[in-house]
Amino acid sequence: MVAATPILLAALGELVVEKSGVLNLGVEGMMITGAICGFAIAVETGSPVLGFIAAAIGGALLSLIFGILTQYLLSNQVATGLALTLFGLGLSSLIGQGYVGIRPPAVEKLNLGPLSDIPFFGPVLFNHDLMVYLTLALCVAIWAVLKYSRAGLILRAVGENHDAAHALGYKVIHVRLLAISFGGACAGLGGAYLSLIRVPQWTEGMTAGAGWIALAIVVFASWRPLRVLLGAYLFGGVTVLQLNLQAAGFSIPVEYLSMSPYLITIAVLVIMSAPRKGKKGRASLAAPACLGRAFHASQ
Amino acid sequence: MKRRTILAGAVAALALSGAAYAQDKTKVGFIFVGPVGDGGWTYEHNQGRLAVEAEFGDKVETIFQESVPEGADAERVITQMALSGADLIFTTSFGYMDPTNAVAAKFPNVKFEHATGYKRADNVSTYSARFYEGRAVQGHIAGKMTKTNKVGYIASFPIPEVIRGINSAYIHAKKVNPDVEFSVVWAYTWFDPAKEADAATALIEQGADVILQHTDSTAPQAAAQKAGNVITFGQASDMSEYAPLPRVSSIIDDWAPYYIARVKAVMDGTWESTDTWDGIGPGMVGIGEISDAVPADVKAEALALKDSLADGSYHPFTGPLKKQDGSDWLAEGETADDGTLAGMNFYVEGITGDIPN
């Protein structure tokens, strides 16, 4: 679960962004910026909670650069997103110069009392830090908001057909900027989870591609929050499981173990997202119709 | 007419200054597999680069590209660097071997130096350090220090250099502790802090109380520190920020003297394609300070072992040794030759598990 949380956070954020019709490829950059912002503030203040808040703010601020460039200045989203990744990697290593080799304040595991003593299920389900559970709650909340609330409906309307949403009087740009900054905050939290809990230390380039995995999971999960959850947990779970199997000396060839996280996650999500009989083209409908398209009121 | 003369004069002046500039400065390029701030492998190569700058000052210009993936991308980056006028290019990871040789064939006037590989050409040298000597010292300390008799080893890729390290560490751990067992985890990456930390955690959960790593970041150190009661060794760099515990010692790569010598050779026009493989003796491999967490007698033994490796009186692969399948490898007193070591693709007797292909 620890391995899955950063990817899940980043993927959830990106899901909301893409649901609003914006394709932000800068997840990696926002994650790493969040990782160093969170780490730096946690070290300076001694409080991991403040660190996580700072990480969310850092990620959101960085994503707003992307937001302003793509929404007001109508720059290309793909190119801007890639540039954001490069910028985030550079910025984070600049900020991180003085933080190499420092130990962050420890994050306590949540004490759930007798629950964590249950054999097998105890350590697996009830022996984690607060962020793991908050992330799970966030996932369910995003699912519920997108599905049942008016705000979710507006978000989806903007993502499916921004002209129609505009005609109805919704402020397309504002909705998108909010979604982008939410995505940035989530990615920042994911990064901070890496630097504060999972590793825990600051190293340049420490996300090492986690942001891209998150992007892929959103697509393979066909833009559904609960499938994103499944995908991230499968990926994270199998990653750790295969390392454990290796350490325990199981006689499965290492090549297969190493590729298993990718294979299993993709296979499961693709099978789940495959169009079924009677419901023609479900998968192809899953992508928000206006994904990656710029909006300007004059068009 | 007059204008044309001025133009021609300007062009000639430009060309002259360009030529003078090129003669003045030797341009040295470096290709890194991770970020220069990884605290390990790439960090030390970058220290070597900085030493070159400090040594030659204005006479040299260095350029570098970090986090270059091994494979097709590397070829593109190396080509770019050769096109930009580099005179000498160091490619500092095993996976750059074929790309380096492919680019070198296209640029016969550019000199290339490939770290840890075995393919050479007229303009391609190889260089590496005998890390396995350092691994012997680590293995000795690991065998003495482990209480659970389980040593975890985070390996990167199944290449001879990594396998040599595993074998050397195992032989020397086994020597002082016959009950010791090694669990090897292949991470299939040189640099991925999250995965390295996960691998360390997995090994610790399986009962290992000593973690050796052959990956580049300090993440396993952090994971060991978090778990507590686990000792580690710095890899490629001292990683002294994790001393005295969990990091009890380290292998330090010192590339600076080699880089300076090679750049000098290019400047003097004496550069030739060579194969360099130096160990503790010439100083390319250093043993970081053994911390106070190690008992004094173990420390003394480890230092004695280091000295015998340095003066050449002891070779880490000295017979009798058998291969994993039980077949004889080295007879009593026989030492392994460099050819076998360079292509090592087998475990020694006693290590469990298979080497992936």
Side-chain angles (χ1 to χ4, degrees), chain A residues 28 32 89 194 204-213, chain B residues 189 191-194:
Chain A
E28 180 87 2
I32 192 98
L89 286 170
L194 268 179
E204 238 179 79
M206 69 181 302
T207 45
W212 300 108
I213 304 278
Chain B
T189 180
F191 177 82
D192 182 344

Side-chain angles (χ1 to χ4, degrees), chain A residues 93-278:
Chain A
S93 71
L94 178 72
I95 303 175
Q97 294 287 338
Y99 291 96
V100 174
I102 294 178
R103 190 181 181 185
V107 179
E108 293 297 317
K109 282 192 174 163
L110 206 59
N111 190 2
L112 291 170
L115 278 178
S116 52
D117 295 332
I118 306 170
F120 184 71
F121 288 107
V124 173
L125 296 177
F126 302 115
N127 195 15
H128 297 287
D129 48 86
L130 188 59
M131 277 306 285
V132 170
Y133 303 110
L134 283 181
T135 308
L136 282 174
L138 181 70
C139 182
V140 175
I142 288 176
W143 169 75
V145 165
L146 282 178
K147 196 164 165 99
Y148 295 113
S149 80
R150 186 174 178 81
L153 200 62
I154 296 170
L155 183 83
R156 282 188 291 151
V158 167
E160 294 296 342
N161 190 332
H162 49 219
D163 295 324
H166 178 66
L168 283 171
Y170 294 119
K171 294 190 163 51
V172 174
I173 304 285
H174 286 189
V175 171
R176 286 187 171 168
L177 278 178
L178 279 176
I180 290 169
S181 54
F182 177 79
C186 282
L189 283 176
Y193 190 86
L194 268 179
S195 64
L196 288 175
I197 299 179
R198 189 170 166 206
V199 173
Q201 59 163 216
W202 164 250
T203 313
E204 238 179 79
M206 69 181 302
T207 45
W212 300 108
I213 304 278
L215 272 168
I217 284 179
V218 173
V219 176
F220 283 117
S222 52
W223 292 269
R224 287 156 190 268
L226 298 184
R227 285 191 195 170
V228 166
L229 174 75
L230 176 76
Y233 270 72
L234 261 180
F235 186 82
V238 178
T239 303
V240 171
L241 181 69
Q242 68 100 356
L243 291 170
N244 269 298
L245 285 178
Q246 280 196 47
F250 272 80
S251 58
I252 308 168
V254 178
E255 298 88 328
Y256 299 117
L257 285 176
S258 291
M259 64 172 121
S260 59
Y262 304 90
L263 280 184
I264 293 175
T265 310
I266 291 175
V268 168
L269 290 177
V270 164
I271 291 167
M272 282 191 65
S273 308
R276 280 161 216 173
K277 272 184 189 164

Side-chain angles (χ1 to χ4, degrees), chain B residues 106-303:
Chain B
K106 288 182 228 157
F107 294 89
N109 294 326
V110 180
K111 314 280 188 272
F112 294 85
E113 298 255 356
H114 177 238
T116 69
Y118 52 81
K119 288 187 184 165
R120 279 171 291 280
D122 284 344
N123 59 337
V124 183
S125 283
T126 53
Y127 64 102
S128 186
R130 295 179 188 269
F131 307 114
Y132 64 87
E133 294 184 353
R135 291 281 173 199
V137 179
Q138 287 188 352
H140 183 93
I141 299 174
K144 284 276 187 185
M145 295 284 287
T146 178
K147 294 186 183 70
T148 59
N149 291 330
K150 270 199 156 184
V151 174
Y153 203 112
I154 305 168
S156 44
F157 293 96
I159 57 172
E161 182 202 331
V162 176
I163 295 165
R164 271 197 308 273
I166 298 171
N167 281 332
S168 176
Y170 179 77
I171 290 167
H172 295 86
K174 185 93 177 167
K175 221 175 228 175
V176 294
N177 181 351
D179 297 326
V180 79
E181 278 176 43
F182 269 42
S183 339
V184 181
V185 166
W186 297 93
Y188 277 92
T189 180
W190 288 113
F191 177 82
D192 182 344
K195 198 168 183 185
E196 293 169 47
D198 285 346
T201 308
L203 286 163
I204 293 165
E205 280 171 3
Q206 300 289 341
D209 64 349
V210 178
I211 300 290
L212 302 177
Q213 65 173 104
H214 203 138
T215 49
D216 298 349
S217 87
T218 50
Q221 316 276 332
Q225 194 170 42
K226 192 172 150 192
N229 290 325
V230 176
I231 64 165
T232 58
F233 296 87
Q235 159 67 6
S237 188
D238 198 20
M239 302 190 179
S240 57
E241 60 268 29
Y242 287 96
L245 271 174
R247 173 221 164 274
V248 294
S249 182
S250 60
I251 293 178
I252 306 170
D253 308 346
D254 185 6
W255 304 108
Y258 181 76
Y259 285 166
I260 290 170
R262 299 307 279 174
V263 172
K264 186 95 178 56
V266 167
M267 288 174 170
D268 301 344
T270 56
W271 191 95
E272 276 183 347
S273 174
T274 55
D275 176 24
T276 306
W277 204 13
D278 285 341
I280 293 178
M284 200 180 254
V285 176
I287 300 293
E289 198 198 347
I290 299 172
S291 79
D292 294 337
V294 178
D297 57 327
V298 177
K299 183 174 174 178
E301 287 166 19
L303 290 176

